[in-house]
Each structure stands twice: as C-alpha cells, then as structure tokens.
Amino acid sequence: MQWLWWFVGAMGLGIIEVFTLDLTFAMLAGGALAAGGVALFGVEWWVSAIVFAVVSALLFVLLRPYLITVMRKKSPLIEMNSNALVGREARTIDEITETSGRVKLNGEVWSARTPDDAPVIPEGSEVTVVAISGATAIVAPEKE
C-alpha cells in the first residue's frame, strides 16, 4: 500500500511544480515516482526512501541544469528592477568620481560613481550605466 502514497506524493509535487515553474518539485516528483515503482515490488519502506533520495538527487544534478538551459534559450530571462537599468543612458547632475556623484537615470536621481581608476566625468555628460551596486549606479562615459 506504500506505493499509493508515493504516487499521491508525486501528484502533489507535480501540482506544486505547476505553480512554481522552477523544476525543483518536478525533480522531487520524479524521485517519488521511482520510489513508488520500487514499492510496487513490495520492498521495505526505507528502500523506497533511498530510491527517492538517489533518483531525486540524480535528477537535480543531471537533468535540471539541462532543462533550465533549454528553457532559457526558448524564452530568455527578462531583467527586472535595478538590473534592467544596466546599459541605459543617463545624464550627470554632478561631477562623477570614484566616490561620489549623481545622475538622472530613468527619470530619477541616482547616486553614482565611476568604476575603479576611471577618470572623473564632468557635470552634464552623457553616461552609460555599467552596473548597479545597491542604490548606486556605476557609470562610464558614453562612447562616441
């Protein structure tokens, strides 16, 4: 009768996977299906548990990375929040140095600085955001 619990668990994990879409619960559901299949032969519960752990771990290590790369190729990751600002153009409000400065970026005023050992950027210059560090935009002069 333990096989039934494994299959019910696999269904439950599959339903959770539909809502999360990160392939974690799908790998666990695969392990539960394997454990349920072994349990059909009447093995002890601990053997099924070991099969569940081993198959789930193998699916996590071998199958999940491949599936994620395939999914990313079909629909690339869309950057959101501050990561979406990288590569955008901004205008300096103050002189930008390695330690201080401000830029107008996406309609907002951001604190800004240049990358290490970069020259000072004068006020009113066009710059490109190369990274976001916390609430500070790291900017470089726009190439002409």
Side-chain angles (χ1 to χ4, degrees):
M1 186 71 174
Q2 71 165 314
W3 58 269
L4 181 62
W5 290 108
W6 285 110
F7 290 136
V8 168
M11 274 186 7
L13 291 166
I15 291 169
I16 294 170
E17 178 62 37
V18 168
F19 292 107
T20 61
L21 299 176
D22 66 352
L23 301 178
T24 300
F25 291 99
M27 302 302 112
L28 293 173
L33 285 174
V38 170
L40 281 173
F41 295 107
V43 298
E44 296 290 325
W45 68 268
W46 57 269
V47 175
S48 296
I50 290 173
V51 168
F52 170 74
V54 168
V55 170
S56 294
L58 286 173
L59 289 174
F60 269 111
V61 172
L62 300 175
L63 185 61
R64 186 173 183 266
Y66 170 74
L67 292 176
I68 286 177
T69 57
V70 168
M71 286 173 45
R72 292 274 161 83
K73 285 181 183 175
K74 289 187 177 184
S75 60
L77 183 64
I78 297 171
E79 296 292 344
M80 299 178 74
N81 300 329
S82 62
N83 291 334
L85 298 174
V86 174
R88 291 227 178 155
E89 296 176 0
R91 179 174 292 278
T92 60
I93 296 173
D94 299 329
E95 183 178 74
I96 309 293
T97 66
E98 286 184 38
T99 58
S100 66
R102 293 183 309 153
V103 295
K104 183 87 163 186
L105 170 63
N106 202 28
E108 300 174 336
V109 176
W110 281 68
S111 60
R113 66 178 178 85
T114 59
D116 296 335
D117 299 327
V120 174
I121 303 171
E123 178 182 341
S125 301
E126 294 291 326
V127 293
T128 301
V129 178
V130 293
I132 300 288
S133 176
T136 303
I138 290 100
V139 298
E142 215 173 67
K143 298 204 168 120
E144 295 182 18

